[in-house]
Amino acid sequence: MPSLLPALLLALLLAGCAGRGAAPPAVTEGPPPPAARAAEVAAAAAPHVRAAGEVIGRGERLLIYLPREGDQLPAIAERFLGDADKHWTIAEANGVSRVEAGQPLIVPLQPLNPAGVRNGELQTIPILCYHRFGAGGAKMVVSPSNFAAQLDWLARNDYQVLKLSQVAGFLAGREALPRKSVVITIDDGYESVYRHAYPLLKKHGFPATLFVYTDFIGAADGLSWAQLQEMAASGVIDIQAHSKTHRNLTDRAAGETDERYRAAIDTELRAPRELLEKRLASAKVKVQQFAYPFGDANDVVLETMTRQRYQLGVTVQAGGNAFFAQPTLLRRTMVFGDLDLEGFKSKLQTSRSVTVP
């Protein structure tokens, strides 16, 4: 394991607890926030996963923790951050993948690098876009075996699959994200999502955002409300809006006046949000993200997005998203059925070089 001495000294200075020639004193932890208290209660009920080591230094931005035998990163994150899924922040801060008893760890209490700028590189978040799953050679149809291989590869190579909603904090400069982050999205709402993609996502515990256009729900090869309800309740699939009718929002119908066009766009954004939230209320679905049909948006659409209080909008323009990406015009990379695993790997743009003049 690489030495943590330089980082530890910096941490002690930042925490305001470094002393000349003296070991950092033990400190008494203050009352944890509600989420952390809930995590402590859960950990107490399952002592085999509780992080029971000692805090040896603490400041506003970070603390230093001395692990005990059997401690694990998720349990430490649950204890101090209130969320076991944030274990990656501890791993990245210390350059480790596992805990060693007696080896001090820095635990960031606030994001250390929310912009993801490091060593001449910008962190970017790739958002993948799928449509259908199954057999056949159609370009938009990804076979279950190919999808399984892609998910297996992400898992083996330590990628963190995020919900799209998690990107909002990164774009606002509030939240750091794992260096190897990726978002999976699926458009339209074909029944094959439930039959093929959903079980594979559940197997890995990977979340995905499903954008549905509501006129398609219950159609011959569309998802049913019961299937949407089950997937949303699982926590694996986040149901969001893909318009009402899937019309190209930048095209006007023949003879459509400015007033009628604006009213139609308002309906395309408002109606699916209201219907999804009403029909999937028991799964606590909140619609705050929108996928533009055909990836197209114009000023009228973007103004309506703001008025309808959508947080994020996604296109089908390929590439990763840096912290300064426009939240309502995020890039997404299409995944087609003829893409092999090497091609899939090339779609995962998690950083790009920064040229300094």
Side-chain angles (χ1 to χ4, degrees), residues 110-326:
Q110 298 178 15
L112 296 181
N113 185 9
V117 180
R118 54 176 70 86
N119 300 326
E121 288 187 340
L122 279 174
Q123 180 179 6
T124 57
I125 311 301
I127 303 174
L128 305 179
C129 178
Y130 295 83
H131 285 78
R132 304 180 70 167
F133 302 88
K139 186 175 182 178
M140 303 296 283
V141 180
V142 175
S143 71
S145 61
N146 279 358
F147 189 56
Q150 292 163 7
L151 298 185
D152 289 343
W153 189 86
L154 291 173
R156 287 197 312 271
N157 289 276
D158 301 321
Y159 278 80
Q160 299 290 319
V161 180
L162 310 177
K163 293 181 179 179
L164 180 60
S165 59
Q166 292 175 263
V167 178
F170 175 71
L171 298 176
R174 297 191 308 267
E175 294 289 338
L177 293 178
R179 293 190 189 189
K180 295 169 71 174
S181 294
V182 61
V183 176
I184 294 174
T185 68
I186 308 169
D187 282 6
D188 297 339
Y190 286 95
E191 188 274 339
S192 63
V193 174
Y194 179 83
R195 187 156 27 102
H196 297 301
Y198 176 48
L200 293 170
L201 291 163
K202 281 199 300 182
K203 172 186 172 183
H204 286 285
F206 287 166
T209 300
L210 173 62
F211 291 104
V212 296
Y213 66 99
T214 48
D215 280 5
F216 188 46
I217 299 172
D221 54 351
L223 289 159
S224 68
W225 283 109
Q227 290 169 331
L228 289 170
Q229 174 69 35
E230 178 185 337
M231 291 191 294
S234 74
V236 173
I237 304 295
D238 186 23
I239 312 294
Q240 297 294 314
H242 192 32
S243 80
K244 179 180 183 295
T245 67
H246 204 278
R247 67 175 280 182
N248 188 317
L249 303 182
T250 65
D251 291 344
R252 297 197 184 200
E256 194 171 45
T257 64
D258 286 351
E259 183 179 1
R260 288 185 176 179
Y261 172 67
R262 289 180 177 276
I265 296 304
D266 185 80
T267 298
E268 292 286 351
L269 273 66
R270 174 180 45 79
R273 186 193 68 228
E274 292 177 349
L275 183 60
L276 290 169
E277 291 186 349
K278 178 181 178 181
R279 293 293 300 267
L280 302 176
S282 62
K284 300 180 180 179
V285 167
K286 294 296 180 185
V287 177
Q288 297 178 309
Q289 295 118 47
F290 191 90
Y292 306 110
F294 308 99
D296 293 336
N298 59 19
D299 287 345
V300 173
V301 175
L302 295 176
E303 289 167 6
T304 307
M305 287 279 289
T306 300
R307 190 170 62 255
Q308 295 286 347
R309 297 188 178 89
Y310 279 95
Q311 290 185 346
L312 303 175
V314 292
T315 69
V316 289
Q317 184 176 0
N321 298 279
F323 73 92
F324 50 76
Q326 186 172 339

Side-chain angles (χ1 to χ4, degrees), residues 18-41:
R20 181 172 298 177
V27 298
T28 302
E29 296 178 57
R37 284 200 297 270
E40 293 276 8
V41 171

Side-chain angles (χ1 to χ4, degrees), residues 7-17 27 55-65 80-81 93 105-112:
L8 184 55
L9 290 175
L10 175 60
L12 291 170
L13 289 170
L14 291 174
C17 59
V27 298
V55 176
I56 59 175
R58 186 168 192 153
E60 290 186 2
R61 297 190 62 196
L62 49 83
L63 62 82
I64 301 171
Y65 176 74
F80 296 110
L81 307 179
L105 290 174
I106 298 167
V107 180
L109 302 177
Q110 298 178 15
L112 296 181

Side-chain angles (χ1 to χ4, degrees), residues 338-352:
D338 58 357
L339 190 70
D340 62 15
L341 193 56
E342 289 303 313
F344 174 77
K345 296 175 190 178
S346 72
K347 303 291 187 183
L348 302 173
Q349 183 185 343
T350 58
S351 67
R352 70 173 189 241

Side-chain angles (χ1 to χ4, degrees), residues 73 86-98 105-106 108:
L73 289 172
K86 291 187 176 180
H87 60 85
W88 66 269
T89 65
I90 304 172
E92 289 193 359
N94 295 275
V96 301
S97 59
R98 60 185 178 86
L105 290 174
I106 298 167

